[in-house]
Amino acid sequence: MKNYYIMTLFPDMIMSGLKTSITGRAKKNGIINFEAVNIRDFTNDKHGHVDDYPYGGGAGMVMQPQPVYDCYKYIENKIGKRTRVVYLTPQGKVFNQQMAKELAHEDDIVFLCGHYEGIDERVLEMIVTDYVSIGDYVLTGGELPAMVMIDSISRMVKGVLSNEVSAQDESFSDNLLEYPQYTRPEEFMGSMVPEVLLSGHHANIEKWRHNLAVARTVERRPDLFSDNGKTDKLIECVIEYFEGDVKRIQHMIKVYSLASHIAKMEKVDERTRYILETAAIVHDIGIKISEEKHGNCSGKLQERYGPREAQKLLLKLCYDEELIERVKYLVGHHHTYEDITGIDYQILVEADFLVNMHEEDMTEEQIKKVYSTIFRTDSGMKMCEQIYSV
Ligand code: 6GU
């Protein structure tokens, strides 16, 4: 059983909100419990006031420390130990699915809802363990945010949702939006349910759904793609892969950094830049195997072995299928300069050359030739001009 305590001046708002729907059912079933505790019940003020003017002046009122402290002590005593105390404030860390998942492991959580212009800082320092916001906008109080958090935390608690539904949460962990859903009728005002869904072919349906989820995320929330800490992990993995090979590791970091910079200067969209950065990190990953198998690492051998090595690594880190396909293509073509298609391809080649011109001690003439035949982007050309004085 999970226990959520909400310190608030508006207990009815919390209780009536949470008693409906799924959280209410979970409470009835004894899986979670929630209890709103009225801070006003703990005031020593004879008029029942819980707020006063701010020292130093300024607009609005500030909640006094004493009622908040005593209210908290009452709850702490009831639980029998110190637990996490979440203060809802727009100044907090922004709440997300990951936090919901983590907090779902806690047996007891206390939520503190502020009102007016805030709460006396001293009591916050004494009792609060976590400062949490639900997004970048201002609300009149912490009650709605507390309800939002409890709703989202509760649904991650085992038994609150049916097993079948709860498994679906894994789909958020790969940072993709949900695919579109359809139900009967098959035709609605002339608009049909996509045929693949009627086919009964489960593998095809899976694939179709995944592709749409990716497309939808690219379109609506490209920010969800960027990272999740994956780029950092990938760099670490590649360093480990080339362990001890100083030159290769330095080369990778340089190409990655230049590619990323050029993409930013060229205002390449986020998703494409992400693909490019990923490709830059793994672009030479075929080298090791080429050397092991053939004793050399010509561009062509790298193009042959690179894509498979890149794929292995990217799958391990759970990159999406569409990205992996493009990265494989880029790795497999980054020494091919005839038919450069796509800005990611173009920038990868330029970044690689900007580094190789120096690392391979190219002559002025060679550099000039590469510059005029291969470089296309304004930022890449400018950088080449500045670095190598072409
Ligand atoms: Cl947690 N509190 C208030 N008052 N406003 C908010 C918020 C919290 N999160 C976003 N806006």
Side-chain angles (χ1 to χ4, degrees):
M1 163 94 98
K2 308 286 185 187
N3 290 296
Y4 305 123
Y5 298 89
I6 306 94
M7 303 166 63
T8 171
L9 292 172
F10 302 96
D12 293 346
M13 179 177 177
I14 302 274
M15 295 310 275
S16 58
L18 292 180
K19 76 171 185 235
T20 25
S21 184
I22 309 258
T23 43
R25 187 186 68 193
K27 184 179 178 185
K28 280 208 188 92
N29 292 341
I31 302 164
I32 62 170
N33 193 30
F34 41 85
E35 181 182 338
V37 185
N38 195 341
I39 297 172
R40 202 178 297 279
D41 290 346
F42 294 86
T43 180
N44 292 333
D45 181 278
K46 58 176 179 287
H47 305 292
H49 290 165
V50 292
D51 60 326
D52 209 330
Y53 296 100
Y55 278 116
M61 303 290 271
V62 177
M63 281 171 75
Q64 294 173 288
Q66 175 271 320
V68 174
Y69 187 79
D70 289 353
C71 180
Y72 170 68
K73 277 293 163 185
Y74 162 81
I75 294 168
E76 188 192 68
N77 201 35
K78 204 163 159 164
I79 300 170
K81 61 173 189 241
R82 183 98 170 91
T83 62
R84 304 221 4 208
V85 178
V86 175
Y87 176 44
L88 287 313
T89 164
Q91 299 174 23
K93 185 171 167 191
V94 177
F95 187 60
N96 61 22
Q97 190 62 28
Q98 181 60 31
M99 285 163 83
K101 237 181 225 178
E102 279 164 25
L103 288 170
H105 294 298
E106 300 283 333
D107 287 331
D108 305 272
I109 307 175
V110 180
F111 295 89
L112 170 59
C113 306
H115 251 268
Y116 312 116
E117 288 306 303
I119 301 181
D120 187 289
E121 190 69 17
R122 291 166 296 182
V123 70
L124 298 178
E125 283 170 9
M126 288 173 198
I127 69 173
V128 172
T129 60
D130 300 80
Y131 294 77
V132 179
S133 162
I134 61 162
D136 292 335
Y137 42 83
V138 182
L139 300 167
T140 56
E143 282 74 16
L144 286 169
M147 287 158 73
V148 165
M149 284 186 70
I150 292 169
D151 186 288
S152 129
I153 294 166
S154 298
R155 64 186 289 292
M156 301 310 292
V157 172
K158 202 163 173 284
V160 171
L161 302 180
S162 65
N163 286 338
E164 194 193 337
V165 182
S166 62
Q168 287 181 5
D169 275 307
E170 299 317 311
S171 73
F172 203 98
S173 62
D174 58 12
N175 266 16
L176 286 182
L177 297 181
E178 287 293 326
Y179 48 78
Q181 299 277 16
Y182 300 84
T183 185
R184 284 198 283 190
E186 229 175 277
E187 188 215 307
F188 174 67
M189 293 173 67
S191 176
M192 303 299 291
V193 170
E195 215 171 298
V196 61
L197 297 178
L198 310 173
S199 69
H201 191 301
H202 291 293
N204 282 353
I205 292 174
E206 271 310 292
K207 204 170 173 148
W208 180 85
R209 284 180 164 167
H210 182 77
N211 287 343
L212 274 185
V214 171
R216 188 165 268 216
T217 314
V218 171
E219 166 117 2
R220 300 183 187 178
R221 290 294 307 278
D223 57 299
L224 285 182
F225 271 119
S226 33
D227 221 24
N228 212 3
K230 272 207 241 208
T231 302
D232 301 335
K233 277 197 212 113
L234 182 63
I235 291 175
E236 274 177 22
C237 284
V238 173
I239 290 176
E240 197 181 307
Y241 187 88
F242 285 133
E243 201 175 346
D245 193 337
V246 184
K247 192 165 169 275
R248 297 268 136 80
I249 293 169
Q250 302 249 348
H251 177 83
M252 176 271 289
I253 295 283
K254 286 190 268 185
V255 174
Y256 160 65
S257 164
L258 280 169
S260 176
H261 182 69
I262 296 174
K264 280 179 204 157
M265 294 298 104
E266 294 294 313
K267 300 199 170 25
V268 170
D269 71 85
E270 253 181 278
R271 168 74 168 166
T272 308
R273 173 156 61 90
Y274 188 53
I275 292 174
L276 166 65
E277 287 171 351
T278 308
I281 295 167
V282 298
H283 77 283
D284 274 344
I285 201 151
I287 283 186
K288 210 163 108 175
I289 298 218
S290 313
E291 280 176 345
E292 279 164 16
K293 291 206 169 145
H294 303 273
N296 78 80
C297 56
S298 71
K300 285 295 143 201
L301 278 174
Q302 279 186 53
E303 289 191 346
R304 186 158 123 211
Y305 294 110
R308 242 198 33 223
E309 285 301 290
Q311 172 162 331
K312 271 197 260 175
L313 196 53
L314 297 175
L315 280 175
K316 214 168 70 187
L317 292 174
C318 299
Y319 280 87
D320 68 86
E321 199 181 320
E322 190 199 58
L323 173 141
I324 294 178
E325 278 313 305
R326 182 62 181 168
V327 169
K328 277 166 67 183
Y329 181 85
L330 294 173
V331 172
H333 290 78
H334 78 281
H335 284 291
T336 305
Y337 313 119
E338 289 92 52
D339 189 19
I340 297 183
T341 47
I343 187 73
D344 45 3
Y345 189 172
Q346 178 66 39
I347 295 177
L348 178 62
V349 167
E350 290 181 11
D352 202 18
F353 266 115
L354 282 172
V355 176
N356 283 337
M357 285 166 173
H358 172 66
E359 288 184 351
E360 292 173 4
D361 252 331
M362 287 191 192
T363 63
E364 210 179 300
E365 210 174 330
Q366 287 171 315
I367 290 174
K368 273 210 179 95
K369 175 130 192 286
V370 171
Y371 170 82
S372 61
T373 55
I374 288 175
F375 278 61
R376 292 280 176 278
T377 72
D378 290 343
S379 338
M381 286 164 70
K382 187 169 159 215
M383 218 173 313
C384 192
E385 290 156 21
Q386 289 175 325
I387 300 174
Y388 298 101
S389 325
V390 269

